[in-house]
Amino acid sequence: MRQARALPLSRRGLLTAGGALGLGALVTACGDNGGSGSGGDGGGSWSFTDDRKKKISLDGRPQHIVAYIAAAAALYDFGIEKQITGVFGPTTLKNGKPDVQAGDFPVDRATSLGNTWGQFNVEKYASLSPDLLITNMYNPGALFYIPDDSKKKILQLAPSAAINTGRVSMLEPIKRYAALAEALGADPKAKKVTDAKARFEKATETLRKTVKSHKIKVMACSASADLFYVSNPKISADLIYFSELGVDFVVPEKPDKGGYFESLSWENADKYDADVLFLDNRTATLQPGALTSKPTWSKLAAVKAGQITPWSSEPRFSYAGAAPLVESLTKAIQDAKKLS
């Protein structure tokens, strides 16, 4: 029988919310990280314990998976290429091309249940006969991008699995997605996976060495029409990991509720000094070309120096997804000049 009980997450549409529990328990006799399966596709019993410490048990390996787009992209990187039949979240742009959060996932192969915050077509979801729903978890026990007004109906249709992506170092959700992919039938020793891991490990060592010789202050930030957000490197998974490697981030003094960022009016956007702006590149946020009318934006030292680099603030939790992010930040720090 399918089992699913969860409390989906309600959060601000612009930036990720906070909160996290410890990693889920290990549940298999083989000793993998939280999942088990047997037989071929759909054969034998299958179970997985997610990061709510909730055990999902099915009669066979899931063959019809619906996932938040970033989760789908991470699983695809780890070798899950056919089982994901539906996605939700920012998948395509207005011109039909893949959203940055889709990564390498072939968006034309899956049914979209909704492309923006609050959209989730329950009827279309039911028509896919889902075996499993997968998403990220930024708050304890909450499922990301599942609308509050329809969560009860959604969670009655299939079990849900949540991977913790808040208040933990980025390596943790990467490992958990790797474990989930393996439980779903992916080969962890596949060349594309091992090559991606090698690239990631090389990139992290390069960043570690770079920050020792380049004393650069970085501000992770995001922009909207009304507010400028300074992100907290003690909360976001990727920023935690980059900090562990030695990156010197601006730490906001008065984070908003949830702890992920401090929101500033544009009049106060110059509250903090930084040599490099690590600017949120999601489609819901404003990019440099749209910020020229903001006087304080143009006055920021990093803006004047042209030291702005894109930040994927909702990273793809896979080695293939993370490696380019590390490389991009490394290059920005290598190329930057000290401004203060």
Side-chain angles (χ1 to χ4, degrees):
M1 296 292 291
R2 292 173 177 171
Q3 303 173 355
R5 296 292 186 273
L7 297 175
L9 170 63
S10 175
R11 69 149 201 167
R12 303 179 65 156
L14 180 64
L15 294 175
T16 54
L21 292 176
L23 296 180
L26 307 184
V27 299
T28 73
C30 296
D32 65 16
N33 290 328
S36 66
S38 60
D41 291 344
S45 62
W46 185 89
S47 67
F48 183 83
T49 297
D50 75 355
D51 290 347
R52 297 167 295 177
K53 297 184 179 180
K54 177 179 178 57
K55 185 175 182 179
I56 303 152
S57 298
L58 298 173
D59 293 337
R61 182 179 294 157
Q63 296 301 302
H64 301 281
I65 297 170
V66 173
Y68 174 58
I69 185 59
L75 290 170
Y76 184 82
D77 289 340
F78 282 117
I80 300 301
E81 300 183 354
K82 296 180 180 179
Q83 292 147 265
I84 300 174
T85 56
V87 293
F88 55 96
T91 303
T92 56
L93 305 175
K94 291 181 179 179
N95 60 11
K97 292 184 178 180
D99 188 280
V100 64
Q101 289 181 243
D104 296 326
F105 183 78
V107 297
D108 58 339
R109 295 187 193 174
T111 299
S112 174
L113 305 180
N115 205 61
T116 61
W117 180 255
Q119 290 183 346
F120 194 110
N121 191 315
V122 181
E123 289 74 21
K124 193 178 290 187
Y125 175 55
S127 73
L128 295 175
S129 300
D131 298 317
L132 183 66
L133 177 73
I134 301 171
T135 191
N136 292 338
M137 183 171 68
Y138 289 97
N139 272 346
L143 301 184
F144 190 49
Y145 248 80
I146 301 297
D148 286 339
D149 59 359
S150 55
K151 63 183 180 183
K152 185 175 180 180
K153 291 181 180 179
I154 293 169
L155 298 178
Q156 288 175 341
L157 293 171
S160 60
I163 299 298
N164 187 24
T165 54
R167 288 189 171 86
V168 292
S169 179
M170 184 168 63
L171 276 180
E172 297 301 333
I174 288 176
K175 291 176 181 177
R176 291 293 283 147
Y177 269 112
L180 177 54
E182 184 176 1
L184 291 170
D187 179 6
K189 296 181 181 179
K191 188 176 187 300
K192 85 166 190 174
V193 177
T194 56
D195 284 354
K197 185 176 182 181
R199 178 183 173 184
F200 173 76
E201 291 174 343
K202 180 181 178 180
T204 58
E205 284 308 306
T206 301
L207 178 56
R208 192 192 305 273
K209 293 176 181 177
T210 296
V211 295
K212 289 181 179 179
S213 57
H214 295 69
K215 303 300 181 182
I216 297 297
K217 177 74 75 172
V218 179
M219 181 159 64
C221 53
S222 186
S224 71
D226 300 321
L227 296 170
F228 183 65
Y229 302 86
V230 178
S231 293
N232 188 351
K234 297 181 180 180
I235 302 294
S236 297
D238 56 341
L239 302 185
I240 290 174
Y241 184 62
F242 297 149
S243 296
E244 291 171 349
L245 295 175
V247 177
D248 183 16
F249 283 106
V250 169
V251 179
E253 297 172 354
K254 297 179 180 179
D256 296 0
K257 183 178 180 181
Y260 265 72
F261 52 84
E262 178 179 354
S263 56
L264 302 172
S265 65
W266 277 108
E267 291 78 7
N268 297 312
D270 58 353
K271 179 176 179 179
Y272 301 104
D273 295 322
D275 303 308
V276 169
L277 297 187
F278 202 26
L279 184 66
D280 190 345
N281 71 347
R282 289 176 299 168
T283 52
T285 65
L286 298 184
Q287 301 308 302
L291 294 170
T292 55
S293 63
K294 306 290 186 184
T296 46
W297 169 261
S298 300
K299 291 179 181 178
L300 292 173
V303 174
K304 289 181 179 179
Q307 295 182 172
I308 306 170
T309 192
W311 171 37
S312 297
S313 65
E314 285 186 39
R316 193 160 102 231
F317 293 106
S318 67
Y319 297 115
L325 308 184
V326 179
E327 292 166 350
S328 177
L329 179 57
T330 300
K331 187 177 187 304
I333 292 174
Q334 288 173 337
D335 295 345
K337 295 180 180 178
K338 188 70 178 174
L339 303 176
S340 58

